[in-house]
């Protein structure tokens, strides 16, 4: 197996989700830091346009979206499992809620003025303005939830997490699963990146104890890697064979067509290429880049749109 290369930046909540899973599975991985905002020329040379953080690279295979990254890591290193059989149905549902509703409320709470001041302490004003403009563009003009509404919602969600714990060490029992890693990362940002706002966690002490257990998992065995080294690794590699699952056509678009795949909300920049696989759960694009060579870029179906483009 080629080396695992994670493209991320330290304060990314979704990257923390994956870093902890790498730690839980005690995997060695290469760490490539990417910019927080666009442009990201080295990164998009691999993805073809997709810009959200993180992305997992294995040779010339590029995996987008943490839901898919979780599946890939589970397949590569099934022990310890983040998807044990007894919770295989329920845990992904909780994870999807955490990655969407919980994340949205928590980040709206975290990025009120006191949180912004903490996150960008010492940064020049133009840097803060560039970040705000970048994230507004990612939302495609949709307004951010007001902090008062976000706080009320966040408190309700924290109580739900406490109820799920119900005296257990983790959400579904004695060991963490994908739901724990998904629910933890938005709360991690509150606790670690915006501590002036972390008092919202105090009403749920069981949640804080669970967070301490999650934090103790650590990040495994990271090793620094440059963006250029990652591009070279892709260029000298050959993409893995496409999934052998049956082609599932929901769009009337044949394999071999030129298509664009984009997130259905937040970070809508599309990736274009040749559709070489469309299984029940994921899409795969083949694309060529002068720096990255021939790569396969993989996306989950859930949360993404597929459209045919003119050649």
């Amino acid at each position: 197996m080629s080396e695992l290369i994670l493209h991320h930046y330290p304060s990314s909540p979704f990257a923390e989700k994956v870093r902890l899973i790498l730690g839980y599975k005690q995997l060695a991985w290469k760490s490539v830091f990417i910019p927080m905002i666009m442009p990201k020329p080295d990164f998009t040379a691999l993805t073809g346009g997709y810009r959200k953080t993180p992305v997992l690279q294995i040779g010339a295979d590029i995996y987008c979206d943490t839901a898919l990254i979780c599946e890939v890591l589970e397949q590569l290193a099934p022990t310890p499992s983040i998807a044990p059989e007894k919770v295989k149905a329920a845990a992904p549902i909780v994870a999807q809620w955490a990655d969407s509703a919980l994340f949205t409320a928590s980040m709206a709470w975290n990025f009120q003025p006191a949180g912004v001041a903490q996150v960008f302490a010492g940064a020049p004003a133009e840097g803060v303005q560039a970040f705000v403009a970048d994230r507004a563009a990612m939302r495609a003009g949709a307004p951010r939830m007001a902090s008062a509404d976000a706080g009320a919602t966040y408190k309700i969600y924290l109580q739900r997490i406490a109820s799920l714990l119900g005296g257990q060490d983790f959400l579904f029992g004695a060991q963490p699963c994908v739901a724990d890693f998904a629910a933890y990362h938005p709360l991690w940002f509150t606790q670690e990146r915006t501590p002036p706002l972390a008092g919202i966690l105090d009403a749920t002490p069981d949640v804080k104890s669970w967070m301490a257990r999650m934090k103790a998992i650590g990040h495994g065995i990271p090793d620094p890697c440059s963006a250029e080294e990652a591009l070279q690794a892709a260029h000298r590699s050959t993409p893995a064979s496409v999934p052998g699952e049956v082609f599932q056509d929901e769009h009337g678009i044949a394999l071999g067509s030129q298509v664009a795949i984009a997130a259905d909300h937040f970070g809508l920049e599309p990736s274009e290429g040749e559709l070489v696989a469309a299984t029940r759960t994921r899409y795969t694009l083949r694309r060529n880049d002068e720096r990255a060579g021939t790569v396969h870029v993989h996306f989950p179906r859930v949360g993404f749109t597929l459209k045919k483009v003119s050649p």
Side-chain angles (χ1 to χ4, degrees), residues 293-306:
T294 299
V295 296
H296 282 176
V297 189
H298 307 269
F299 301 87
R301 277 190 184 257
V302 174
F304 287 82
T305 63
L306 173 70

Side-chain angles (χ1 to χ4, degrees), residues 278-292:
T279 69
R280 183 179 62 84
T281 61
R282 67 176 74 170
Y283 302 116
T284 300
L285 293 181
R286 178 185 292 122
R287 51 179 310 277
N288 297 293
D289 180 89
E290 182 177 348
R291 299 175 68 200

